[in-house]
Amino acid sequence: MFNAQGEPHVTTNHIADELEISPGNLYYHFRNKDDIIEQLFARYEERMDAALATPSERLPGLEDIWLQLHLIFECIWDYRFLYRDLVEILSRNRRIRLRFARILKRADDSAHAVMRGMGQAGVMRATADELAATATNILVIATFWLNYAAARGDKDEQIAIRRGIVQVMMLVAPFLRDAERVHLNTLTQAYLD
Amino acid sequence: MFNAQGEPHVTTNHIADELEISPGNLYYHFRNKDDIIEQLFARYEERMDAALATPSERLPGLEDIWLQLHLIFECIWDYRFLYRDLVEILSRNRRIRLRFARILKRADDSAHAVMRGMGQAGVMRATADELAATATNILVIATFWLNYAAARGDKDEQIAIRRGIVQVMMLVAPFLRDAERVHLNTLTQAYLD
DNA sequence: GTCTATAAATGGATAGAC
DNA sequence: GTCTATCCATTTATAGAC
């Protein structure tokens, strides 16, 4: 319901209705609306933590990154209500704020690790500054891509997700070795059709 | 007030209080709360349209872009309430939604024009695909940078703006000729101290 | 655990006098 | 134009019976 209508438009009464229980009963199971959000957030957190885990021992190839981005974007999609009203939700709840900041930190580390791995594999070349800036840009694009799609008025949201993944890949592309940049281009073309 | 507290937390009564007029009087001047937002949006729109205008006849240098980004980020900062709850505000008001989509389109055109200019000046080199992707990424970063800073828990928001500008510049950097990339690096270092 | 009933507060908006 | 008064709808949350 949060995803479909936006968290601000879903009241506790709506939730109780949907569950076919009384509002009173709902408040027996949850302290308040924020508690509901917090428990949903816990599931989101677990899922995103899993998606951010370094996927394998060996050095990452383009396909590994592609897969990981998929997991991340699917997670964002499934909890898009968090992202839609992110600042508002975080401003209301200190605990969620801290936990989301931790996720961002972890995502930043993960992006760094993946790109470092590509550097070691000789596939990517970037200075430390470029690496840091790119990691940050990856986070911002991933975090707010759905909002951007909504603001632009995009209808088909499944295509929007694909575009988001491509968009993140394009952040890394300039630092790739020629062979891999061509490879990425092939992947991208096939993916957007 | 919208900027300070977030649009959802500012009631029409608060606004009337702040203006030291009665709620009834407020509703004499504005049809409803959305009408207030819409009139603020009109000012924002005018300002952003000005900031997005191509700044000069001659081919753009790095400093020109820097200045234009400043104007854009200052505008975003002054109307940050729009960006904080962007999806929510756009979902409530069809007119604002269309007008904001137009601004995004204009911004995209502007980013394209500037980068094409740099290509003509021989300062930048990118394929059409790279150019399009970079333009999009510039929009997303600029649009949601303040939200990202808030989500990360950044306190000093003036520094956050500077970081945003640098972050956008870093999107373009990989496509710059060596001399200009060094130049950009110098500008960036000086700017963040 | 689940319900009904309702408190308590808020917020958008209007009526009608001045 | 400005005010007071107030309506109306909504929303969160609780009390207390079953």
Side-chain angles (χ1 to χ4, degrees), chain B residues 105-126:
Chain B
K105 180 74 177 60
R106 233 177 96 75
D108 198 58
D109 293 343
S110 176
H112 265 95
V114 168
M115 289 191 287
R116 260 201 317 274
M118 295 183 79
Q120 282 166 22
V123 168
M124 182 176 170
R125 182 163 182 82

Side-chain angles (χ1 to χ4, degrees), chain A residues 12 14 29 35 38 43 62 77 85 88-89 101 113 128 137 142 148 153 167 174-176 191 193:
Chain A
T12 51
H14 292 153
H29 289 285
D35 185 31
E38 216 168 316
R43 297 197 203 177
L62 280 185
W77 173 254
D85 298 285
E88 173 61 20
I89 291 173
N137 280 333
Y148 175 73
Q167 209 62 27
F175 304 104
L176 293 181
Y191 190 62
D193 287 339

Side-chain angles (χ1 to χ4, degrees), chain A residues 29-185:
Chain A
H29 289 285
F30 300 92
R31 267 190 303 286
N32 50 41
K33 194 184 175 185
D34 242 40
D35 185 31
I36 298 173
I37 294 174
E38 216 168 316
Q39 303 216 24
L40 287 172
F41 185 86
R43 297 197 203 177
Y44 155 78
E45 195 176 20
E46 194 179 358
R47 174 119 166 249
M48 187 57 89
D49 267 333
L52 290 176
T54 315
S56 66
E57 301 295 309
R58 62 194 168 81
L59 293 174
L62 280 185
E63 276 87 353
D64 299 305
I65 299 176
W66 204 274
L67 173 63
Q68 187 175 20
L69 277 178
H70 250 285
L71 292 176
I72 291 169
F73 268 86
E74 298 284 349
C75 176
I76 292 174
W77 173 254
D78 286 346
Y79 293 88
R80 54 195 179 276
F81 74 96
L82 284 174
Y83 291 84
R84 192 198 115 126
D85 298 285
L86 186 62
V87 181
E88 173 61 20
I89 291 173
L90 298 187
S91 80
R92 285 201 310 247
N93 189 315
R94 186 189 140 81
R95 276 185 302 272
I96 296 185
R97 185 163 64 246
L98 295 175
R99 288 159 77 180
F100 191 82
R102 185 190 65 79
I103 300 250
L104 280 183
K105 181 71 177 61
R106 232 176 98 74
D108 197 58
D109 293 342
S110 176
H112 266 95
V114 169
M115 288 192 287
R116 258 202 318 273
M118 297 183 78
Q120 281 165 22
V123 169
M124 181 176 170
R125 184 165 181 81
T127 68
D129 280 354
E130 287 169 334
L131 210 127
T134 304
T136 299
N137 280 333
I138 288 172
L139 295 212
V140 179
I141 300 292
T143 303
F144 296 105
W145 182 257
L146 292 181
N147 289 7
Y148 175 73
R152 220 175 44 175
D154 290 0
K155 285 300 169 90
D156 189 330
E157 287 150 320
Q158 287 305 324
I159 289 184
I161 290 189
R162 294 182 167 215
R163 289 231 178 88
I165 294 174
V166 168
Q167 209 62 27
V168 168
M169 281 306 222
M170 291 302 279
L171 288 171
V172 180
F175 304 104
L176 293 181
R177 214 173 43 185
D178 283 357
E180 272 69 24
R181 204 158 65 243
V182 171
H183 183 189
L184 177 57
N185 241 307

Side-chain angles (χ1 to χ4, degrees), chain A residues 8-9 84-88 90-91 100-101 104 129-130 133-134 136-137 139-141 144-145 147-148 150-152 167 170-171 174-175 181 185 189, chain B residues 8-9 84-88 90-91 100-101 104 129-130 133-134 136-137 139-141 144-145 147-148 150-152 167 170-171 174-175 181 185 189:
Chain A
H9 296 135
R84 192 198 115 126
D85 298 285
L86 186 62
V87 181
E88 173 61 20
L90 298 187
S91 80
F100 191 82
L104 280 183
D129 280 354
E130 287 169 334
T134 304
T136 299
N137 280 333
L139 295 212
V140 179
I141 300 292
F144 296 105
W145 182 257
N147 289 7
Y148 175 73
R152 220 175 44 175
Q167 209 62 27
M170 291 302 279
L171 288 171
F175 304 104
R181 204 158 65 243
N185 241 307
Q189 297 297 336
Chain B
H9 297 134
R84 193 198 114 125
D85 299 284
L86 186 62
V87 181
E88 172 61 21
L90 297 187
S91 80
F100 191 81
L104 279 183
D129 280 352
E130 288 170 334
T134 304
T136 298
N137 280 334
L139 295 213
V140 179
I141 300 291
F144 295 106
W145 181 256
N147 288 7
Y148 175 72
R152 220 176 43 178
Q167 209 61 26
M170 291 303 277
L171 289 170
F175 304 103
R181 205 157 66 242
N185 241 306
Q189 296 297 336

Side-chain angles (χ1 to χ4, degrees), chain B residues 17 21 49 57 59 70 93 99 107 110 132 135 144 157 180 193:
Chain B
D17 262 17
I21 62 174
D49 268 333
E57 301 296 310
L59 293 175
H70 250 285
N93 189 315
R99 287 158 78 180
S110 176
F144 295 106
E157 286 150 323
E180 271 70 23
D193 289 339

Side-chain angles (χ1 to χ4, degrees), chain B residues 57-93:
Chain B
E57 301 296 310
R58 62 194 167 82
L59 293 175
L62 280 186
E63 276 86 354
D64 298 306
I65 299 177
W66 205 274
L67 173 65
Q68 187 176 18
L69 277 179
H70 250 285
L71 292 176
I72 290 168
F73 268 86
E74 299 283 350
C75 177
I76 292 174
W77 172 254
D78 286 346
Y79 293 89
R80 55 193 177 277
F81 74 96
L82 284 174
Y83 290 85
R84 193 198 114 125
D85 299 284
L86 186 62
V87 181
E88 172 61 21
I89 291 173
L90 297 187
S91 80
R92 287 202 309 248
N93 189 315

